[in-house]
Amino acid sequence: MSEPQGPPESIYSSPEDFQAWLAEVRTRREARARSRALHEHWVRSLEQLREEIAAASAADDQEIAAELGGVAARFEALRSGTVELDAVAVQASASRTVATAGPAQPAQQAPLPRRDPAEEAAAQEALKSALQDRLAAVRERVASLRAARPPGGDMPLATQHAFRLRAAAAQLGAVCSEATRGRVDASLSGETGAICDWLDIERDLVGDCDACSLFERDALRLACAMVPPGGWVALAALYDQTADALPVLDWTQANVERISSEAALRMLNAVGAVQQLLYRRLTEYNLTDRLQVDLYGRIKDLGKTVGFVRALSPHNSEEELKALADSLMPAYEDLRRSAEEEWARQEKAARRAAAVSAVLDLVRARPALGQDPRSLDA
């Protein structure tokens, strides 16, 4: 996955290049819209198939249930990405060719296991109860964020707060994703909607206006069906890690003239690795967030003063980025401690030098000082 790229410079001077670039952007937008629509079709089809399978099983029609189950399995494979659509189309085409060559043979499929309705209802109630507990934890986190809201005008803290809100939204996404898969999402919609409202209000209060898929209800609903619960949990952890990295970037930027270029670049690479891991995860799930794009720009701009930030390269492996990201806080603590100790020594030496200089100036101004004891009283 590549890093965010801006438009080519030539679009500002060439009408032809601008039109070509605009056409390419439209093509990408349309392709993304088609992809989302296709995924939504798969999810809705799966929901309908599950209902039909349950009805067929209740009627003890195993043949129909098996046929529906085979189709549902294929839709699930498409949704989870374990098979490609083209491969399915080729296989379907081959099946039609065989059908024209002779009489169709009934598919041999194992009958679906029947589940007792009471057992299924009990399982759904247990899942609903567990998810309600997790929703309560998300509510508590949102409440703690509201209590820790930074004062107005403190942009660094507000930005960090905005990333924490995204982490909470991703935790909510994990619950919604599991609820969708367990078919209890409708019964939890009121609670999840209330948390979404609180997040929206908190964003407004800290001036977080950046576009983000996690706060767009329709996009979030579709993403909950597409992204597995574990993916949301990982995304929440990455948002928290990004929030933790912001003070490091702020400190590095504030002291870039006082620390070595090597030390500053080491910090930028570690922070950049955190940003890239977040960016890659968002891209993997077809999610967008302008705030992390702005963070990328900050890192890249600061890197222009100290050196190339290799962590921002798309050629780094996931393992390399994780190693860099994990080294961030220990490296930052060591650098900050050693830098502050050195600055304290420098300040102490500067005060000593200033005191000696003041004494020398006094002696030069009054050469007789110290020769006549009475001059000390003057």
Side-chain angles (χ1 to χ4, degrees), residues 26-46:
R26 288 171 178 163
T27 300
R28 282 191 283 119
R29 175 173 54 80
E30 291 168 359
R32 181 169 292 186
R34 286 194 300 270
S35 176
R36 287 177 175 170
L38 186 60
H39 278 281
E40 189 170 7
H41 161 61
W42 292 338
V43 172
R44 289 177 177 173
S45 299
L46 273 171

mmCIF file of all heavy atoms in Angstrom, residues 26-46:
data_model
loop_
_atom_site.group_PDB
_atom_site.id
_atom_site.type_symbol
_atom_site.label_atom_id
_atom_site.label_comp_id
_atom_site.label_asym_id
_atom_site.label_seq_id
_atom_site.Cartn_x
_atom_site.Cartn_y
_atom_site.Cartn_z
ATOM 1 N N ARG A 26 -11.985 10.568 -10.721
ATOM 2 C CA ARG A 26 -13.366 10.106 -10.868
ATOM 3 C C ARG A 26 -13.428 8.591 -11.018
ATOM 4 O O ARG A 26 -14.309 7.928 -10.460
ATOM 5 C CB ARG A 26 -13.999 10.777 -12.087
ATOM 6 C CG ARG A 26 -14.306 12.262 -11.882
ATOM 7 C CD ARG A 26 -14.719 12.904 -13.187
ATOM 8 N NE ARG A 26 -15.063 14.308 -13.010
ATOM 9 C CZ ARG A 26 -15.134 15.185 -14.009
ATOM 10 N NH1 ARG A 26 -14.885 14.781 -15.256
ATOM 11 N NH2 ARG A 26 -15.454 16.444 -13.769
ATOM 12 N N THR A 27 -12.479 8.052 -11.777
ATOM 13 C CA THR A 27 -12.451 6.599 -11.965
ATOM 14 C C THR A 27 -12.240 5.886 -10.642
ATOM 15 O O THR A 27 -12.906 4.892 -10.330
ATOM 16 C CB THR A 27 -11.330 6.221 -12.952
ATOM 17 O OG1 THR A 27 -11.581 6.854 -14.215
ATOM 18 C CG2 THR A 27 -11.268 4.710 -13.150
ATOM 19 N N ARG A 28 -11.307 6.408 -9.831
ATOM 20 C CA ARG A 28 -11.062 5.794 -8.530
ATOM 21 C C ARG A 28 -12.282 5.903 -7.625
ATOM 22 O O ARG A 28 -12.621 4.974 -6.895
ATOM 23 C CB ARG A 28 -9.848 6.440 -7.867
ATOM 24 C CG ARG A 28 -8.517 5.943 -8.418
ATOM 25 C CD ARG A 28 -7.350 6.399 -7.561
ATOM 26 N NE ARG A 28 -7.017 7.792 -7.777
ATOM 27 C CZ ARG A 28 -7.054 8.726 -6.844
ATOM 28 N NH1 ARG A 28 -7.441 8.425 -5.631
ATOM 29 N NH2 ARG A 28 -6.708 9.971 -7.116
ATOM 30 N N ARG A 29 -12.934 7.070 -7.655
ATOM 31 C CA ARG A 29 -14.127 7.256 -6.823
ATOM 32 C C ARG A 29 -15.238 6.301 -7.236
ATOM 33 O O ARG A 29 -15.892 5.682 -6.392
ATOM 34 C CB ARG A 29 -14.603 8.701 -6.925
ATOM 35 C CG ARG A 29 -15.910 8.975 -6.184
ATOM 36 C CD ARG A 29 -16.242 10.458 -6.180
ATOM 37 N NE ARG A 29 -16.258 11.028 -7.510
ATOM 38 C CZ ARG A 29 -17.276 10.917 -8.363
ATOM 39 N NH1 ARG A 29 -18.355 10.222 -8.022
ATOM 40 N NH2 ARG A 29 -17.228 11.479 -9.551
ATOM 41 N N GLU A 30 -15.452 6.166 -8.544
ATOM 42 C CA GLU A 30 -16.497 5.272 -9.027
ATOM 43 C C GLU A 30 -16.173 3.817 -8.708
ATOM 44 O O GLU A 30 -17.061 3.035 -8.348
ATOM 45 C CB GLU A 30 -16.672 5.460 -10.534
ATOM 46 C CG GLU A 30 -17.277 6.816 -10.900
ATOM 47 C CD GLU A 30 -17.188 7.110 -12.393
ATOM 48 O OE1 GLU A 30 -16.630 6.261 -13.130
ATOM 49 O OE2 GLU A 30 -17.659 8.171 -12.809
ATOM 50 N N ALA A 31 -14.887 3.455 -8.815
ATOM 51 C CA ALA A 31 -14.492 2.079 -8.489
ATOM 52 C C ALA A 31 -14.721 1.788 -7.012
ATOM 53 O O ALA A 31 -15.188 0.704 -6.636
ATOM 54 C CB ALA A 31 -13.026 1.854 -8.856
ATOM 55 N N ARG A 32 -14.418 2.765 -6.176
ATOM 56 C CA ARG A 32 -14.640 2.573 -4.741
ATOM 57 C C ARG A 32 -16.129 2.446 -4.431
ATOM 58 O O ARG A 32 -16.542 1.630 -3.614
ATOM 59 C CB ARG A 32 -14.029 3.737 -3.968
ATOM 60 C CG ARG A 32 -14.187 3.630 -2.470
ATOM 61 C CD ARG A 32 -13.347 4.649 -1.746
ATOM 62 N NE ARG A 32 -11.930 4.365 -1.904
ATOM 63 C CZ ARG A 32 -10.972 5.034 -1.276
ATOM 64 N NH1 ARG A 32 -11.272 6.019 -0.456
ATOM 65 N NH2 ARG A 32 -9.705 4.728 -1.459
ATOM 66 N N ALA A 33 -16.937 3.264 -5.115
ATOM 67 C CA ALA A 33 -18.384 3.181 -4.897
ATOM 68 C C ALA A 33 -18.926 1.830 -5.346
ATOM 69 O O ALA A 33 -19.770 1.226 -4.671
ATOM 70 C CB ALA A 33 -19.085 4.316 -5.653
ATOM 71 N N ARG A 34 -18.424 1.333 -6.489
ATOM 72 C CA ARG A 34 -18.870 0.016 -6.955
ATOM 73 C C ARG A 34 -18.461 -1.075 -5.976
ATOM 74 O O ARG A 34 -19.223 -2.013 -5.709
ATOM 75 C CB ARG A 34 -18.282 -0.271 -8.343
ATOM 76 C CG ARG A 34 -18.935 0.524 -9.466
ATOM 77 C CD ARG A 34 -18.559 -0.049 -10.825
ATOM 78 N NE ARG A 34 -17.125 -0.017 -11.059
ATOM 79 C CZ ARG A 34 -16.484 0.998 -11.621
ATOM 80 N NH1 ARG A 34 -17.158 2.075 -12.007
ATOM 81 N NH2 ARG A 34 -15.177 0.953 -11.809
ATOM 82 N N SER A 35 -17.249 -0.950 -5.435
ATOM 83 C CA SER A 35 -16.779 -1.952 -4.476
ATOM 84 C C SER A 35 -17.649 -1.970 -3.228
ATOM 85 O O SER A 35 -18.030 -3.030 -2.723
ATOM 86 C CB SER A 35 -15.321 -1.661 -4.106
ATOM 87 O OG SER A 35 -14.868 -2.549 -3.116
ATOM 88 N N ARG A 36 -17.996 -0.778 -2.740
ATOM 89 C CA ARG A 36 -18.847 -0.715 -1.552
ATOM 90 C C ARG A 36 -20.233 -1.281 -1.832
ATOM 91 O O ARG A 36 -20.812 -1.992 -1.007
ATOM 92 C CB ARG A 36 -18.953 0.736 -1.079
ATOM 93 C CG ARG A 36 -17.680 1.258 -0.425
ATOM 94 C CD ARG A 36 -17.821 2.712 -0.049
ATOM 95 N NE ARG A 36 -16.653 3.178 0.686
ATOM 96 C CZ ARG A 36 -16.412 4.447 0.984
ATOM 97 N NH1 ARG A 36 -17.264 5.378 0.602
ATOM 98 N NH2 ARG A 36 -15.333 4.791 1.654
ATOM 99 N N ALA A 37 -20.769 -0.952 -3.010
ATOM 100 C CA ALA A 37 -22.093 -1.469 -3.360
ATOM 101 C C ALA A 37 -22.072 -2.991 -3.469
ATOM 102 O O ALA A 37 -23.013 -3.677 -3.048
ATOM 103 C CB ALA A 37 -22.553 -0.848 -4.680
ATOM 104 N N LEU A 38 -20.986 -3.527 -4.021
ATOM 105 C CA LEU A 38 -20.877 -4.975 -4.161
ATOM 106 C C LEU A 38 -20.811 -5.648 -2.796
ATOM 107 O O LEU A 38 -21.490 -6.648 -2.538
ATOM 108 C CB LEU A 38 -19.632 -5.315 -4.986
ATOM 109 C CG LEU A 38 -19.441 -6.790 -5.351
ATOM 110 C CD1 LEU A 38 -20.622 -7.300 -6.163
ATOM 111 C CD2 LEU A 38 -18.142 -6.965 -6.140
ATOM 112 N N HIS A 39 -20.016 -5.081 -1.902
ATOM 113 C CA HIS A 39 -19.928 -5.645 -0.555
ATOM 114 C C HIS A 39 -21.274 -5.562 0.155
ATOM 115 O O HIS A 39 -21.669 -6.482 0.881
ATOM 116 C CB HIS A 39 -18.858 -4.910 0.252
ATOM 117 C CG HIS A 39 -17.473 -5.390 -0.023
ATOM 118 N ND1 HIS A 39 -16.958 -6.533 0.529
ATOM 119 C CD2 HIS A 39 -16.486 -4.884 -0.816
ATOM 120 C CE1 HIS A 39 -15.718 -6.720 0.111
ATOM 121 N NE2 HIS A 39 -15.405 -5.739 -0.712
ATOM 122 N N GLU A 40 -21.977 -4.456 -0.036
ATOM 123 C CA GLU A 40 -23.282 -4.319 0.594
ATOM 124 C C GLU A 40 -24.252 -5.362 0.040
ATOM 125 O O GLU A 40 -25.059 -5.938 0.781
ATOM 126 C CB GLU A 40 -23.829 -2.913 0.356
ATOM 127 C CG GLU A 40 -25.089 -2.618 1.161
ATOM 128 C CD GLU A 40 -25.478 -1.155 1.088
ATOM 129 O OE1 GLU A 40 -24.856 -0.409 0.309
ATOM 130 O OE2 GLU A 40 -26.406 -0.769 1.807
ATOM 131 N N HIS A 41 -24.161 -5.644 -1.256
ATOM 132 C CA HIS A 41 -24.993 -6.690 -1.867
ATOM 133 C C HIS A 41 -24.707 -8.048 -1.229
ATOM 134 O O HIS A 41 -25.629 -8.811 -0.919
ATOM 135 C CB HIS A 41 -24.718 -6.731 -3.371
ATOM 136 C CG HIS A 41 -25.133 -8.012 -4.033
ATOM 137 N ND1 HIS A 41 -26.437 -8.466 -4.045
ATOM 138 C CD2 HIS A 41 -24.393 -8.954 -4.696
ATOM 139 C CE1 HIS A 41 -26.490 -9.629 -4.691
ATOM 140 N NE2 HIS A 41 -25.266 -9.941 -5.088
ATOM 141 N N TRP A 42 -23.428 -8.340 -1.011
ATOM 142 C CA TRP A 42 -23.079 -9.623 -0.401
ATOM 143 C C TRP A 42 -23.648 -9.732 1.009
ATOM 144 O O TRP A 42 -24.180 -10.765 1.409
ATOM 145 C CB TRP A 42 -21.558 -9.783 -0.365
ATOM 146 C CG TRP A 42 -20.942 -9.948 -1.724
ATOM 147 C CD1 TRP A 42 -21.561 -10.372 -2.860
ATOM 148 C CD2 TRP A 42 -19.589 -9.668 -2.085
ATOM 149 N NE1 TRP A 42 -20.680 -10.378 -3.911
ATOM 150 C CE2 TRP A 42 -19.458 -9.960 -3.471
ATOM 151 C CE3 TRP A 42 -18.476 -9.205 -1.400
ATOM 152 C CZ2 TRP A 42 -18.260 -9.800 -4.156
ATOM 153 C CZ3 TRP A 42 -17.277 -9.049 -2.077
ATOM 154 C CH2 TRP A 42 -17.176 -9.344 -3.439
ATOM 155 N N VAL A 43 -23.519 -8.652 1.778
ATOM 156 C CA VAL A 43 -23.990 -8.690 3.164
ATOM 157 C C VAL A 43 -25.506 -8.862 3.222
ATOM 158 O O VAL A 43 -26.035 -9.685 3.974
ATOM 159 C CB VAL A 43 -23.557 -7.407 3.902
ATOM 160 C CG1 VAL A 43 -24.211 -7.336 5.275
ATOM 161 C CG2 VAL A 43 -22.044 -7.370 4.054
ATOM 162 N N ARG A 44 -26.214 -8.083 2.421
ATOM 163 C CA ARG A 44 -27.675 -8.186 2.426
ATOM 164 C C ARG A 44 -28.137 -9.558 1.940
ATOM 165 O O ARG A 44 -29.101 -10.128 2.472
ATOM 166 C CB ARG A 44 -28.267 -7.087 1.543
ATOM 167 C CG ARG A 44 -28.132 -5.689 2.147
ATOM 168 C CD ARG A 44 -28.661 -4.631 1.207
ATOM 169 N NE ARG A 44 -28.605 -3.305 1.809
ATOM 170 C CZ ARG A 44 -28.879 -2.183 1.162
ATOM 171 N NH1 ARG A 44 -29.228 -2.230 -0.115
ATOM 172 N NH2 ARG A 44 -28.807 -1.016 1.777
ATOM 173 N N SER A 45 -27.454 -10.074 0.934
ATOM 174 C CA SER A 45 -27.817 -11.397 0.428
ATOM 175 C C SER A 45 -27.610 -12.461 1.497
ATOM 176 O O SER A 45 -28.423 -13.385 1.642
ATOM 177 C CB SER A 45 -26.985 -11.730 -0.815
ATOM 178 O OG SER A 45 -27.235 -10.796 -1.850
ATOM 179 N N LEU A 46 -26.515 -12.333 2.252
ATOM 180 C CA LEU A 46 -26.265 -13.290 3.330
ATOM 181 C C LEU A 46 -27.366 -13.241 4.381
ATOM 182 O O LEU A 46 -27.808 -14.280 4.891
ATOM 183 C CB LEU A 46 -24.905 -13.002 3.975
ATOM 184 C CG LEU A 46 -23.691 -13.670 3.328
ATOM 185 C CD1 LEU A 46 -22.404 -13.119 3.920
ATOM 186 C CD2 LEU A 46 -23.753 -15.177 3.522
#
